[in-house]
Amino acid sequence: MNTQNNQHKQTIPFPDEIIHLETINKKLDLSIAETNSRVERVNYEYINSKKYMTDYRGELDPHEMFQNELALKQIDRTGAFAVEVWDKLMKIKESPYFARIDFQEKDEQLIEKIYIGRFSFLHENELLIYDWRSPIASMFYDYETGPAKYDAPIGQIEGALTLKRQFKIKNGILEYALESSINIQDDVLQRVLSDTSSEKMKSIISTIQKKTKPNYSK
């Protein structure tokens, strides 16, 4: 591990979050590489199909030409979708998530760690990051630590939030992390809270935040 990461681990109060981000970054790199290979394969297939239609245009009957044109359009759509996926993964890599909540469902022993970002991230059929607009992510905005619930497709899920954290991740690097029972909107307050160990100061800043009208549309 390089010196920069070692120094960074000393400044972040939650070393486990550094390790978690490193794991997420590795999985993002794998997904990006796989998607990039898919884009290249589709592009190669498109070029070959287009060349075939051009080279044999005079020999193909109308039905064959129509079928080849349909296939070409399908390849084009597949390629466009792969490029969209690649673009989204690159945006996720820049800043994978901004919050974490730990949720214990009523009458369950398991505590689920839920990371929340601008986009969801699924890797090997495991949902690692939840879109901020998803029902389960709404608890980050609606509740402090303690009793909480959210509306799922199967009905209302009740339980408790046992932990809330917020992060500032830029260029895939964790700049700071803070733990607070409420959602701190202001970036300056986030940074101050992440740097202070004073519970009194945290209480003062949290009070300021509560008096500030939140804006979740950004």
Side-chain angles (χ1 to χ4, degrees):
M1 189 172 294
N2 60 39
T3 303
Q4 182 183 7
N5 283 341
N6 285 334
Q7 291 175 343
H8 198 55
K9 283 186 178 182
Q10 294 172 6
T11 63
I12 300 295
F14 311 111
D16 60 310
E17 297 297 355
I18 294 286
I19 296 170
H20 178 78
L21 180 58
E22 288 173 353
T23 300
I24 292 295
N25 280 334
K26 288 177 182 177
K27 292 181 178 181
L28 279 166
D29 286 340
L30 287 172
S31 293
I32 289 169
E34 290 171 1
T35 304
N36 189 54
S37 295
R38 192 176 306 121
V39 170
E40 290 178 352
R41 286 197 304 270
V42 172
N43 185 56
Y44 179 79
E45 186 178 352
Y46 183 89
I47 291 172
N48 282 348
S49 297
K50 190 75 173 177
K51 185 177 185 302
Y52 174 82
M53 290 176 65
T54 301
D55 291 347
Y56 296 95
R57 180 172 294 275
E59 302 177 26
L60 297 175
D61 61 43
H63 178 71
E64 282 184 288
M65 182 61 70
F66 178 70
Q67 292 298 322
N68 278 279
E69 287 176 350
L70 286 180
L72 201 62
K73 289 180 180 178
Q74 180 59 45
I75 294 171
D76 189 44
R77 284 193 293 268
T78 301
F81 177 75
V83 169
E84 287 180 6
V85 171
W86 181 87
D87 184 59
K88 189 181 84 167
L89 286 170
M90 294 302 292
K91 290 177 180 177
I92 294 174
K93 183 66 187 289
E94 165 70 18
S95 182
Y97 47 83
F98 57 81
R100 166 187 162 184
I101 54 176
D102 287 8
F103 180 67
Q104 184 174 24
E105 191 175 333
K106 186 178 180 181
D107 300 325
E108 295 289 340
Q109 295 296 317
L110 180 67
I111 297 178
E112 184 178 4
K113 297 179 182 178
I114 301 159
Y115 285 84
I116 303 166
R118 290 174 58 206
F119 306 101
S120 61
F121 175 50
L122 184 72
H123 181 75
E124 296 182 346
N125 295 319
E126 182 182 4
L127 187 57
L128 300 174
I129 302 173
Y130 288 80
D131 189 300
W132 68 276
R133 293 158 292 194
S134 63
I136 196 169
S138 67
M139 292 188 293
F140 170 71
Y141 301 97
D142 295 340
Y143 296 97
E144 298 183 18
T145 51
K149 58 187 176 182
Y150 69 98
D151 293 322
I154 60 172
Q156 194 172 79
I157 306 297
E158 296 183 353
L161 292 182
T162 61
L163 179 144
K164 289 181 70 173
R165 285 179 181 170
Q166 291 179 250
F167 312 98
K168 177 68 173 181
I169 302 173
K170 188 174 181 180
N171 297 324
I173 297 174
L174 182 59
E175 293 191 346
Y176 60 80
L178 67 96
E179 194 166 302
S180 175
S181 63
I182 65 173
N183 175 20
I184 307 297
Q185 294 287 309
D186 187 87
D187 185 68
V188 175
L189 293 183
Q190 287 183 0
R191 193 175 292 275
V192 172
L193 271 174
S194 69
D195 289 338
T196 182
S197 59
S198 168
E199 291 302 321
K200 184 176 181 180
M201 179 59 74
K202 288 183 178 181
S203 177
I204 292 172
I205 295 174
S206 296
T207 301
I208 294 173
Q209 170 64 26
K210 286 181 179 180
K211 291 181 179 179
T212 304
K213 184 178 179 181
N215 182 2
Y216 300 136
S217 62
K218 293 183 179 180

